């Protein structure tokens, strides 16, 4: 005898997803210009870090001295929530590459971007080299990183719908964590926070991402000088190629007391 199924109406918590437009203002005092350079779907919160992190990882800004102000755009359309438009004001002396602004920003997929166009665009960014020394992470610390991250994901624990990026020292100490509906946004927020705190380059840390390791996550981490990227999921083939070409360590499937090493195995100290 088959029991009749019942449907119950209950409230549920959902992760918020809203568009964020990133605009820049630049030029001499008497010849200021504004331009919208990106619209991304994100979880509201740490929006200024997201904007700054995006501009840095795209190679548009290099130092904190180039930024004079970050604010929600006061001239946003009345039909648009002005907290969905961020304006980053650059110093009059900051040189802006209009060709870079005009180029087609990466079209993201679930495994990142790929192909000749992405490699050519990446070469424009002049990725900084990574050091051939520290850090060295023990395998026992790597095994603990997902647990450390889970304990800090406040929104994820309520919704189950957010990605996270976290910055760890070799001791396992958590320094920064950011969440967002987009993997790339979480990383940009994290790097933006480190940029504003003048912590870059992040040569002494590893970054842990809650999803897969895509090409763009490797690129963003390299721009910030992060030598180790660990992912709960798998890396893409182009992500591994990029990491290997730049002396970066990539770990995948970091969960359930195991992980794979795809590049840079010398930075991982395997215990007994």
């Amino acid at each position: 005898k088959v029991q009749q199924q019942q449907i119950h109406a209950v409230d549920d918590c959902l992760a918020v997803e809203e568009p964020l437009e990133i605009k820049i203002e630049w030029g001499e005092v008497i010849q200021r210009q504004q331009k919208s350079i990106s619209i991304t779907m994100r979880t509201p919160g740490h929006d200024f870090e997201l904007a700054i992190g995006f501009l840095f990882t795209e190679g548009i800004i290099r130092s904190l001295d180039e930024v004079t102000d970050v604010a929600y755009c006061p001239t946003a359309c009345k039909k648009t929530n002005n907290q969905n438009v961020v304006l980053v004001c650059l110093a009059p002396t900051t040189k802006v590459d209009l060709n870079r602004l005009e180029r087609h920003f990466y079209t993201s997929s679930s495994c990142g971007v790929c192909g000749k166009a992405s490699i050519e665009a990446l070469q424009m960014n002049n990725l900084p080299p990574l050091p051939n020394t520290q850090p060295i992470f023990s395998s026992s610390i790597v095994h603990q990183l997902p647990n450390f991250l889970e304990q800090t994901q406040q929104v994820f624990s309520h919704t189950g719908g957010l990605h996270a990026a976290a910055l760890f020292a070799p001791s396992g100490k958590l320094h920064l964590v950011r969440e967002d509906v987009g993997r790339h946004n979480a990383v940009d927020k994290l790097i933006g926070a480190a940029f504003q705190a003048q912590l870059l380059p992040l040569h002494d840390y590893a970054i842990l991402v809650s999803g897969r390791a895509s090409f763009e996550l490797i690129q963003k981490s390299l721009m910030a000088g992060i030598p180790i990227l660990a992912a709960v999921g798998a890396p893409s083939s182009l992500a591994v190629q990029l990491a290997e070409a730049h002396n970066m360590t990539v770990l995948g499937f970091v969960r359930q007391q195991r992980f794979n090493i795809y590049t840079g195995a010398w930075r991982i100290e395997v215990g007994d």
Side-chain angles (χ1 to χ4, degrees), residues 194-233:
F195 182 89
Q196 290 184 308
Q198 300 188 62
L199 296 176
L200 300 182
L202 298 170
H203 288 161
D204 297 325
Y205 300 95
I207 186 172
L208 175 67
V209 295
S210 59
R212 288 178 283 181
S214 65
F215 172 93
E216 63 180 342
L217 297 193
I218 298 293
Q219 178 259 330
K220 289 177 182 296
S221 298
L222 284 171
M223 286 292 288
I226 302 173
I228 301 175
L229 185 143
V232 174

Side-chain angles (χ1 to χ4, degrees), residues 80-176:
T80 303
N81 182 349
N82 75 323
Q83 291 196 344
N84 283 343
V85 182
V86 168
L87 177 64
V88 181
C89 296
L90 304 182
T93 55
T94 302
K95 302 298 182 182
V96 175
D97 186 346
L98 292 178
N99 291 327
R100 183 186 296 278
L101 293 179
E102 293 297 334
R103 80 175 174 84
H104 177 63
F105 281 109
Y106 298 151
T107 299
S108 300
S109 69
S110 59
C111 60
V113 295
C114 57
K116 181 180 178 182
S118 63
I119 294 295
E120 290 176 347
L122 188 63
Q123 290 174 344
M124 294 173 60
N125 281 342
N126 297 318
L127 290 174
L130 293 176
N132 290 316
T133 54
Q134 303 290 345
I136 303 296
F137 274 67
S138 70
S139 58
S140 60
I141 289 295
V142 174
H143 289 317
Q144 296 177 53
L145 297 186
N147 292 332
F148 294 155
L149 177 60
E150 185 177 352
Q151 293 170 14
T152 66
Q153 286 189 264
Q154 298 177 358
V155 180
F156 179 85
S157 63
H158 294 291
T159 68
L162 291 185
H163 287 287
L167 201 63
F168 289 96
S171 64
K173 180 182 178 180
L174 175 67
H175 280 260
L176 281 172

Side-chain angles (χ1 to χ4, degrees), residues 71-84:
Y72 289 109
C73 189
T75 59
C77 175
K78 292 182 179 180
K79 294 181 180 180
T80 303
N81 182 349
N82 75 323
Q83 291 196 344
N84 283 343

Side-chain angles (χ1 to χ4, degrees), residues 23-41:
K23 303 176 68 174
I24 64 169
E25 180 180 289
W26 80 99
E28 298 294 335
V29 176
I30 60 174
Q31 292 181 321
R32 300 292 283 178
Q33 303 177 63
Q34 286 190 10
K35 185 176 182 64
S36 176
I37 61 170
S38 177
I39 297 178
T40 184
M41 301 303 295

